[in-house]
Coordinates of all heavy atoms in Angstrom, one line a residue:
L1 N -29.2 -27.6 27.8 CA -28.7 -26.3 27.6 C -27.4 -26.3 26.8 O -27.2 -25.5 25.9 CB -28.6 -25.5 28.9 CG -27.9 -24.1 28.8 CD1 -28.8 -23.2 28.0 CD2 -27.7 -23.5 30.2
I2 N -26.5 -27.2 27.3 CA -25.2 -27.3 26.6 C -25.4 -27.7 25.1 O -24.8 -27.2 24.2 CB -24.3 -28.3 27.3 CG1 -24.0 -27.9 28.7 CG2 -23.0 -28.6 26.5 CD1 -23.2 -26.6 28.8
G3 N -26.4 -28.6 24.8 CA -26.7 -29.0 23.5 C -27.1 -27.8 22.6 O -26.7 -27.6 21.5
E4 N -28.0 -26.9 23.2 CA -28.5 -25.8 22.5 C -27.4 -24.8 22.3 O -27.3 -24.1 21.2 CB -29.6 -25.1 23.3 CG -30.9 -25.9 23.2 CD -31.4 -26.1 21.7 OE1 -31.4 -25.1 20.9 OE2 -31.7 -27.2 21.4
L5 N -26.4 -24.6 23.3 CA -25.3 -23.7 23.0 C -24.4 -24.2 21.9 O -23.9 -23.4 21.1 CB -24.5 -23.6 24.3 CG -25.1 -22.7 25.4 CD1 -24.3 -22.8 26.7 CD2 -25.4 -21.3 25.0
C6 N -24.2 -25.5 21.8 CA -23.5 -26.1 20.8 C -24.1 -25.9 19.4 O -23.5 -25.6 18.4 CB -23.3 -27.6 21.0 SG -22.2 -28.0 22.4
N7 N -25.5 -26.0 19.4 CA -26.2 -25.7 18.2 C -26.0 -24.2 17.8 O -25.8 -23.9 16.6 CB -27.7 -25.9 18.3 CG -28.0 -27.4 18.4 OD1 -27.3 -28.3 18.0 ND2 -29.2 -27.7 19.0
G8 N -26.0 -23.3 18.7 CA -25.8 -21.9 18.5 C -24.4 -21.7 17.9 O -24.2 -20.9 17.0
F9 N -23.4 -22.4 18.4 CA -22.1 -22.3 18.0 C -22.0 -22.7 16.5 O -21.4 -22.1 15.7 CB -21.1 -23.1 18.8 CG -19.7 -23.2 18.3 CD1 -18.8 -22.1 18.5 CD2 -19.3 -24.2 17.5 CE1 -17.5 -22.1 18.0 CE2 -18.0 -24.2 17.0 CZ -17.1 -23.2 17.2
Q10 N -22.6 -23.9 16.2 CA -22.6 -24.4 14.8 C -23.2 -23.4 13.8 O -22.8 -23.2 12.7 CB -23.4 -25.7 14.7 CG -22.8 -26.8 15.5 CD -21.6 -27.4 15.0 OE1 -21.4 -27.4 13.8 NE2 -20.6 -27.7 15.9
L11 N -24.3 -22.7 14.3 CA -24.9 -21.7 13.4 C -24.0 -20.5 13.1 O -24.0 -20.0 12.0 CB -26.2 -21.2 14.2 CG -27.0 -20.2 13.4 CD1 -27.7 -20.8 12.2 CD2 -28.1 -19.6 14.4
L12 N -23.2 -20.1 14.1 CA -22.3 -18.9 13.9 C -20.9 -19.2 13.4 O -20.3 -18.3 12.9 CB -22.2 -18.2 15.3 CG -23.5 -17.7 15.9 CD1 -23.3 -17.2 17.3 CD2 -24.1 -16.7 15.0
M13 N -20.5 -20.4 13.4 CA -19.1 -20.7 13.1 C -18.8 -20.7 11.6 O -19.7 -20.9 10.8 CB -18.7 -22.0 13.6 CG -19.2 -23.2 12.9 SD -18.4 -24.7 13.5 CE -18.9 -25.9 12.2
D14 N -17.6 -20.4 11.2 CA -17.1 -20.6 9.9 C -17.0 -22.1 9.6 O -16.2 -22.8 10.3 CB -15.7 -19.9 9.8 CG -15.1 -20.0 8.4 OD1 -14.9 -21.2 7.9 OD2 -14.8 -19.0 7.8
K15 N -17.7 -22.6 8.7 CA -17.8 -24.0 8.4 C -16.4 -24.6 8.1 O -16.1 -25.8 8.4 CB -18.8 -24.4 7.4 CG -20.2 -23.8 7.6 CD -20.8 -24.3 8.9 CE -22.2 -23.8 9.0 NZ -22.6 -23.4 10.3
D16 N -15.6 -23.9 7.4 CA -14.3 -24.4 7.0 C -13.3 -24.4 8.1 O -12.4 -25.3 8.3 CB -13.7 -23.6 5.8 CG -14.5 -23.7 4.6 OD1 -15.1 -24.7 4.3 OD2 -14.6 -22.7 3.8
K17 N -13.4 -23.4 9.0 CA -12.4 -23.3 10.1 C -12.9 -24.0 11.4 O -12.1 -24.2 12.3 CB -12.1 -21.9 10.4 CG -11.4 -21.2 9.2 CD -11.0 -19.7 9.5 CE -10.4 -19.1 8.3 NZ -10.2 -17.7 8.4
G18 N -14.2 -24.2 11.5 CA -14.7 -24.8 12.8 C -14.7 -23.8 14.0 O -14.7 -24.2 15.1
L19 N -14.6 -22.5 13.7 CA -14.5 -21.5 14.7 C -15.4 -20.3 14.4 O -15.8 -20.1 13.2 CB -13.1 -20.9 14.7 CG -11.9 -21.8 15.0 CD1 -10.6 -21.2 14.7 CD2 -11.9 -22.3 16.5
I20 N -15.8 -19.6 15.4 CA -16.5 -18.3 15.1 C -15.4 -17.3 14.9 O -14.7 -16.9 15.8 CB -17.4 -17.9 16.3 CG1 -18.5 -18.9 16.5 CG2 -18.0 -16.5 16.0 CD1 -19.4 -18.7 17.7
T21 N -15.4 -16.8 13.7 CA -14.4 -15.8 13.3 C -15.1 -14.4 13.1 O -16.3 -14.4 13.2 CB -13.8 -16.1 11.9 OG1 -14.8 -16.1 10.9 CG2 -13.1 -17.5 11.9
F22 N -14.4 -13.4 13.0 CA -15.0 -12.1 12.8 C -15.9 -12.1 11.5 O -17.0 -11.6 11.6 CB -13.9 -11.0 12.6 CG -14.4 -9.7 12.1 CD1 -15.2 -8.9 12.9 CD2 -14.3 -9.3 10.7 CE1 -15.7 -7.7 12.5 CE2 -14.8 -8.1 10.3 CZ -15.5 -7.3 11.2
E23 N -15.4 -12.7 10.5 CA -16.2 -12.8 9.2 C -17.5 -13.6 9.4 O -18.5 -13.2 9.0 CB -15.3 -13.4 8.1 CG -14.2 -12.6 7.7 CD -13.0 -12.6 8.6 OE1 -12.9 -13.6 9.4 OE2 -12.1 -11.8 8.5
S24 N -17.4 -14.7 10.1 CA -18.6 -15.5 10.3 C -19.6 -14.8 11.2 O -20.8 -14.9 11.1 CB -18.3 -16.9 10.8 OG -17.8 -16.9 12.1
L25 N -19.1 -14.1 12.3 CA -19.9 -13.4 13.2 C -20.6 -12.2 12.4 O -21.8 -12.0 12.6 CB -19.1 -12.8 14.4 CG -19.9 -12.1 15.4 CD1 -21.0 -13.0 16.1 CD2 -19.0 -11.6 16.5
K26 N -19.8 -11.5 11.6 CA -20.4 -10.4 10.8 C -21.5 -10.9 9.9 O -22.6 -10.4 9.7 CB -19.3 -9.7 10.0 CG -19.8 -8.5 9.4 CD -18.7 -7.6 8.8 CE -19.2 -6.4 8.2 NZ -18.4 -5.2 8.4
R27 N -21.2 -12.1 9.2 CA -22.2 -12.7 8.3 C -23.5 -13.1 9.0 O -24.6 -13.0 8.5 CB -21.6 -13.9 7.7 CG -21.4 -13.9 6.2 CD -21.0 -15.2 5.5 NE -20.4 -16.2 6.4 CZ -19.0 -16.3 6.5 NH1 -18.2 -15.4 6.0 NH2 -18.5 -17.2 7.3
S28 N -23.3 -13.6 10.3 CA -24.5 -14.1 11.1 C -25.1 -13.0 11.9 O -26.1 -13.3 12.6 CB -24.0 -15.2 11.9 OG -23.4 -16.2 11.2
S29 N -24.6 -11.8 12.0 CA -25.0 -10.8 12.9 C -26.5 -10.5 12.8 O -27.2 -10.3 13.8 CB -24.2 -9.5 12.9 OG -24.3 -9.0 11.6
S30 N -27.1 -10.6 11.6 CA -28.5 -10.3 11.4 C -29.3 -11.4 12.1 O -30.5 -11.1 12.5 CB -28.8 -10.1 10.0 OG -28.6 -11.3 9.2
L31 N -28.9 -12.6 12.1 CA -29.6 -13.7 12.8 C -29.8 -13.4 14.3 O -30.7 -13.8 14.9 CB -28.9 -15.0 12.7 CG -28.8 -15.6 11.3 CD1 -27.8 -16.8 11.3 CD2 -30.1 -15.9 10.7
L32 N -28.8 -12.6 14.8 CA -28.8 -12.3 16.3 C -29.4 -10.9 16.5 O -29.5 -10.5 17.7 CB -27.3 -12.2 16.8 CG -26.5 -13.5 16.6 CD1 -25.1 -13.2 16.9 CD2 -27.1 -14.6 17.4
G33 N -29.9 -10.2 15.5 CA -30.4 -8.9 15.7 C -29.3 -7.9 15.9 O -29.6 -6.8 16.4
L34 N -28.1 -8.2 15.5 CA -27.0 -7.3 15.7 C -26.4 -6.7 14.4 O -25.3 -6.2 14.4 CB -25.8 -8.1 16.4 CG -26.2 -8.8 17.7 CD1 -25.0 -9.6 18.2 CD2 -26.6 -7.8 18.7
Q35 N -27.2 -6.6 13.4 CA -26.8 -6.1 12.1 C -26.3 -4.7 12.1 O -25.6 -4.3 11.2 CB -27.9 -6.3 11.0 CG -29.1 -5.6 11.2 CD -30.1 -6.3 12.1 OE1 -29.8 -7.3 12.7 NE2 -31.3 -5.7 12.2
D36 N -26.7 -3.9 13.1 CA -26.3 -2.5 13.2 C -25.1 -2.3 14.0 O -24.6 -1.1 14.1 CB -27.4 -1.7 13.8 CG -28.7 -1.7 13.0 OD1 -28.6 -1.8 11.7 OD2 -29.8 -1.5 13.5
L37 N -24.5 -3.4 14.5 CA -23.2 -3.2 15.3 C -22.1 -2.9 14.3 O -22.0 -3.4 13.2 CB -22.9 -4.4 16.0 CG -23.7 -4.7 17.3 CD1 -23.3 -6.0 18.0 CD2 -23.7 -3.5 18.3

C-alpha cells in the first residue's frame, strides 16, 4: 500500500520540484476525475 501511495505521489508531483504543487495538481486533476473542481 505504501508503495502504491508513493507511485500516486510520483504521478501527481511536479517533476522539477519533487512536490505536489497547485500547478501539478491542477494539471493532473483530470487523471483523478477532478477536472471540474
Side-chain angles (χ1 to χ4, degrees):
L1 176 62
I2 297 299
E4 286 303 310
L5 288 175
C6 291
N7 289 340
F9 175 81
Q10 296 291 323
L11 182 68
L12 299 173
M13 77 173 191
D14 178 304
K15 305 300 183 221
D16 294 328
K17 296 180 181 175
L19 300 167
I20 297 175
T21 63
F22 169 73
E23 292 79 15
S24 69
L25 183 60
K26 186 168 180 143
R27 246 188 335 270
S28 304
S29 61
S30 63
L31 295 172
L32 304 170
L34 304 175
Q35 63 274 7
D36 295 332
L37 289 182

